[in-house]
Amino acid sequence: MTRLLVDGVFFQINNTGIARVWRSVLGILAASGGLEIYFLDRGHAPKIEGIQYIPFPQKTLFAHCAADSLLIQKVCDHYKIDVFTSTYYTTPVSTPMLLMVHDMIPELFDFDLTCRAWMEKDTAICFAQRYLCVSENTRYDLLTFYQEIPPDKVTVARDGVDHRVFKMRPAVDVMAFRKTYGLNRPYFLFVGSRVQHNGYKNSRLFFDALDQLSSIDFDVFCVGGEKDIEAEVLKGIPKGVRCIRVELADEELSLAYNGAIALVYPSLYEGFGMPVIEAMASGCPVITTPHGSLREAAGDAACLVSGASLEEMCNALRQVREPGYRETLKRKGLEHVKQFSWEKMAVQIMKDVLVLHDEAQQGLYDSFFKNWRQLREVQASVDF
Amino acid sequence: MKHRTVDSIYRTEFDLIPEFKLNWMSRVSGFIDLDRGRSVGIANDMDDNLKKRMIELALSKLSSAELENMQRLTEIALNQSRNYGAQGNLLLLLKSDKCSMAFKTVGVMVNRTWRALSQNTNPVERATLVKELVDLREKCAIRAMSPQAEGSTAAAGGDAAPPQPAPQMTLENAIVKVYEQSVGRTPGQDEINIWKNNFENGVPFHEFLLLMSGGEETKNCKTSKAILAEKSDGAFVQLLYELLHGRGCSVWEINHWVSKLTGGTMQRPEILAAIFNDAVKFYEHSSETVHDGLSCQILGTSRVVTADHWKRMAQAVLKQPAPAPDDRYAHRFYIKSEPRFLVTAIASLYRGGDFIEQFMDNLTAQSVFDDYCELVIVDADSPEHEFETIKRYLSKHKGINYIRMNYRIGIYDAWNVGVKAARGDYLTNTNLDDLRRTDSLEQQAAVLDNLPFVDVTYQDLYYTFDPRLSFGEIAAFGYETNLPIITPYNLMQFNSPHNAPMWRKRLHDELGYFNTHFKSAGDYEFWMRCLAAGKCFYKLNDPHVVYYQNPKGLSTRPDSRGIVEAKEIHKTYARKLVSENLVMPFQQFCREKLPAVPIALDEGKNDRYAFSQRALRNAARQSKYAAVNGIVR
């Protein structure tokens, strides 16, 4: 059976969306029994039945990257790993690698690409031989930035949604949840980071629009993202509107979606946009934009705004409160979201892993690996 | 720029696209204005499809040197796009008027995109513009890689690729060579262009040679190289440290001084003087160095723990209810071997009366003690009758081997006695005042049992100023190291294996025993020896040992013994651990170690890591899918 090694480095670093993706698909992959799965545990690894864990040195963020690669390779060699993949951007030096690419945001939005973290992403893309992108849009971006990659080496499997968690909830549970958080008025939901480098999250548009609304009979509920609500955000919020920020586990997040007027997600760019489909699966109307991959995530089931017009956003915020329109969005959303599942992504990963294993066995990458190892060793020797 | 030329090129090359004609003249006039540095907008109404075809066509005409230049131009455009509101003309940076019409065509496009980008704050629009530039950069890179890229004559057409011209000395290379020989540095692109211009205007090459050899900079360079001219800058600096400081030179020091030499801000005699001054200062003041043992840096972090702070914290920490168990590292290795003496813990004993009971309790309570462990205690003729205590444990545990020497021996002598007496395959040193969690030996042995390629295992650890606390209590203070993967450079900075590593006994067969010449840093020297021999170190994240920061203990005593020994060790190992790749001249490094990476002449940073990254990027472009593409065809 093909042996897959997954580097759990992302779990060491963070517990955000990418961790959710891997937790979801690994469970399914392990249960399917089609692969022998090994996992480098650098800390905080999820406990999944059927996976063999290998304690591995924590990554020093972000230093000794080349040395880290050489050590990963030793583990690959010892366990006779056929295919490697990483939950983030770590690499071996001569074991075939499948890379999941979530987005090209740092490359597109002026992040400092000379910092090691992003150099490592470049390394991972350069080294990997096959790719799985979470949206067509990300695939297109990847192929623009790395034009040597033959298009048939890049597959797409959109992020999924756990329909057992994100679903319509009984009204009584939703009421209880609202009571816990003091949400006794209608509320708009904002999920994830509010301020991002270069402002592509575009939360400003939402908070500015609130100020333009005439009736103040709602609250704003922010889940996740930066710990403290930014002063400039609070400044824009009209008197009488409460703005609360909490961290929620998935069960509660689903209840939060169930009870909200709408999820407001005005982002100008995403690699996929998981909150959109999680909201839809929970029967929550969604206001978002058609940018990046969001059109793919939202389909025709969301209220789309350009993300550039305050007036348009105001109208959308008013419109989603009309019962008829709400009902339409809800119905469309529940229908649209049926196509998204982690099973699909797991199946695609499995396919890609097997194809890559097969390609590698034919020796397609042997001379590249030899070349690469040499260069990565040189890089390790000048890394201080 | 002459309209006649434009016209003829336009006719021969761009007649291919009929609808292009209309736009061409407006573009050309826009370009002329740009070239004069005036900002006149170019017709912006070209449809995307046409633009694409025009770019494709223009790219196919670029020579390989131009492709490289274009990559550089797009790179600059991307890097400088954060200067919002920038005006100007990027093309002027190239300061070359010898580029082809095709190059200028693409260049204008880059310039326009760059200016649009630098004036745009809308993320969506910016992303589109960035993509355009990247697309262009990558297209150039791919073309530059393909063998057909050479020369603009190999235009479209089904013909076989022209034969590759043999590598020859181009004018540009010749200029570079002369600069390297005479002033010891590579010239900037602007300097190269100036000379190329001069030659075209009739200046003979020998005139250039004369000028270069007689110049001020050449004289300076000669003075600079006057000392040890045959050595590279890196090797020169290494020698200074070895001879003046009496120790090896760290990679940071090499980098620091070499950058001064290559940047021209200091000459060799000045550096010699500076390092000599440092050495004198160190020599005169070394006896004043205060190192009181009441504070220590937490390895791998920038935090410092002090005895005072510990005391203040203690009141609060010890009152709190026990913290939840540490669940960060839920998965672990398990010992595979059958029960036998697998692990030998070695303890050197001298004046350990205060700690012996606690130590024996801690060791014999180890989860695998009776099944897998042996404890070898080497008593270096200690006067405190510790054996009276040890005796009580002998009857309960078969794995204790007490060896008493009848004269005082040093710590590493004692360890060597322990190593030789050891029956286990895995060895670990156990200090009397340290503390281990009950699964500590088990975890370490399991690493070596499961990963045959590992020679030494180490782990993060907690510090304590109070040796009487339990493991859980000490952990609650949270003074935890963040040790890295061991590399030659970080091991030269600090001793990550620290107080409680476990290693394979066979290392001693191959590399010898601990060097008993050392009193304080013998273990450190052994790990250096292991690393220099290519041995593998493997860290466990789970901090299962405690290090007692003892203000009076030998290994932390405030004399300069440790410093003297560390210097000596560095002197031996710096040359073995600092890669030649960091010492050789930058140009040589690129040429020999990073084939196929064009060296950007105007990039002064000489960052070897970043250049290696370029080499990786090019390897992907060039060779990753070579076999795949071969098969497709």
Side-chain angles (χ1 to χ4, degrees), chain B residues 224-242:
Chain B
S224 175
K225 290 267 182 193
I227 309 174
L228 292 176
E230 75 284 4
K231 299 271 181 202
S232 73
D233 289 341
F236 170 72
V237 173
Q238 277 180 319
L239 274 171
L240 291 187
Y241 274 82
E242 285 157 3

Side-chain angles (χ1 to χ4, degrees), chain A residues 55 58 110 128 131 147 381, chain B residues 126 131 135 489 538 541 624:
Chain A
Q58 229 167 36
D110 284 350
Y131 308 82
Q147 298 190 5
S381 78
Chain B
R126 285 184 64 82
K131 249 186 257 184
D135 184 48
Y489 307 128
Y538 199 90
N541 302 314
K624 183 161 55 164

Side-chain angles (χ1 to χ4, degrees), chain B residues 24 67 110 277 314 430 457 521 609:
Chain B
W24 180 239
L67 284 168
V110 171
N277 273 333
T430 46
T457 179
Y609 191 92

Side-chain angles (χ1 to χ4, degrees), chain A residues 200-213:
Chain A
Y200 74 85
K201 287 283 179 186
N202 204 19
S203 62
R204 189 72 184 268
L205 182 72
F206 168 49
F207 291 106
D208 285 352
L210 292 178
D211 203 23
Q212 309 275 313
L213 296 179

Side-chain angles (χ1 to χ4, degrees), chain B residues 197-211:
Chain B
N197 252 338
N198 289 344
F199 297 142
E200 269 161 40
N201 293 332
V203 175
F205 201 79
H206 68 262
E207 197 69 34
F208 167 56
L209 290 177
L210 280 175
L211 278 168

Side-chain angles (χ1 to χ4, degrees), chain A residues 290-301:
Chain A
H291 302 300
S293 60
L294 287 167
R295 191 187 283 283
E296 288 173 64
D300 65 346

Side-chain angles (χ1 to χ4, degrees), chain A residues 29-254:
Chain A
L29 279 175
S32 79
L35 297 169
E36 206 173 314
I37 302 176
Y38 294 77
F39 189 98
L40 296 183
D41 180 358
R42 303 194 190 228
H44 303 287
K47 291 167 196 139
I48 296 167
E49 196 65 33
I51 285 180
Q52 186 170 334
Y53 289 92
I54 303 166
F56 194 79
Q58 229 167 36
K59 194 147 173 70
T60 312
L61 302 175
F62 278 88
H64 320 307
C65 299
D68 190 73
S69 281
L70 296 171
L71 194 60
I72 289 175
Q73 190 57 50
K74 288 194 168 162
V75 172
C76 286
D77 292 344
H78 172 63
Y79 287 95
K80 299 191 169 54
I81 298 299
D82 298 308
V83 175
F84 173 90
T85 191
S86 177
T87 54
Y88 212 42
Y89 303 124
T90 50
T91 47
V93 294
S94 59
T95 295
M97 170 164 173
L98 167 70
L99 178 67
M100 191 188 289
V101 183
H102 300 274
D103 60 67
M104 298 299 279
I105 288 171
E107 290 82 353
L108 282 168
F109 290 93
D110 284 350
F111 286 42
D112 178 7
L113 299 180
T114 62
C115 83
R116 281 291 162 89
W118 301 127
M119 275 171 95
E120 279 306 280
K121 181 178 179 185
D122 179 55
T123 308
I125 296 175
C126 286
F127 178 73
Q129 302 83 47
R130 290 194 81 92
Y131 308 82
L132 183 141
C133 294
V134 300
S135 66
E136 289 290 349
N137 189 67
T138 295
R139 178 175 186 272
Y140 174 79
D141 287 349
L142 175 69
L143 289 172
T144 303
F145 276 84
Y146 293 85
Q147 298 190 5
E148 73 275 15
I149 303 172
D152 65 331
K153 302 292 177 203
V154 189
T155 58
V156 171
R158 297 201 175 95
D159 281 334
V161 59
D162 188 343
H163 293 278
R164 291 162 308 180
V165 178
F166 296 98
K167 59 181 181 189
M168 297 284 285
R169 302 276 182 166
V172 50
D173 294 351
V174 180
M175 284 312 292
F177 167 80
R178 295 181 65 156
K179 207 169 164 195
T180 310
Y181 289 93
L183 296 164
N184 48 4
R185 296 201 295 179
Y187 64 93
F188 288 109
L189 189 58
F190 193 96
V191 172
S193 172
R194 295 173 296 280
V195 198
Q196 260 287 0
H197 187 72
N198 231 319
Y200 74 85
K201 287 283 179 186
N202 204 19
S203 62
R204 189 72 184 268
L205 182 72
F206 168 49
F207 291 106
D208 285 352
L210 292 178
D211 203 23
Q212 309 275 313
L213 296 179
S214 44
S215 56
I216 306 296
D217 55 350
F218 59 86
D219 293 322
V220 175
F221 195 53
C222 298
V223 180
E226 294 76 6
K227 280 217 163 59
D228 299 304
I229 297 179
E230 302 67 29
E232 62 166 50
V233 166
L234 287 174
K235 214 166 59 188
I237 289 177
K239 262 209 172 110
V241 170
R242 286 183 311 154
C243 186
I244 311 161
R245 185 263 173 200
V246 295
E247 303 246 351
L248 298 180
D250 289 359
E251 286 287 328
E252 284 195 311
L253 178 56
S254 163

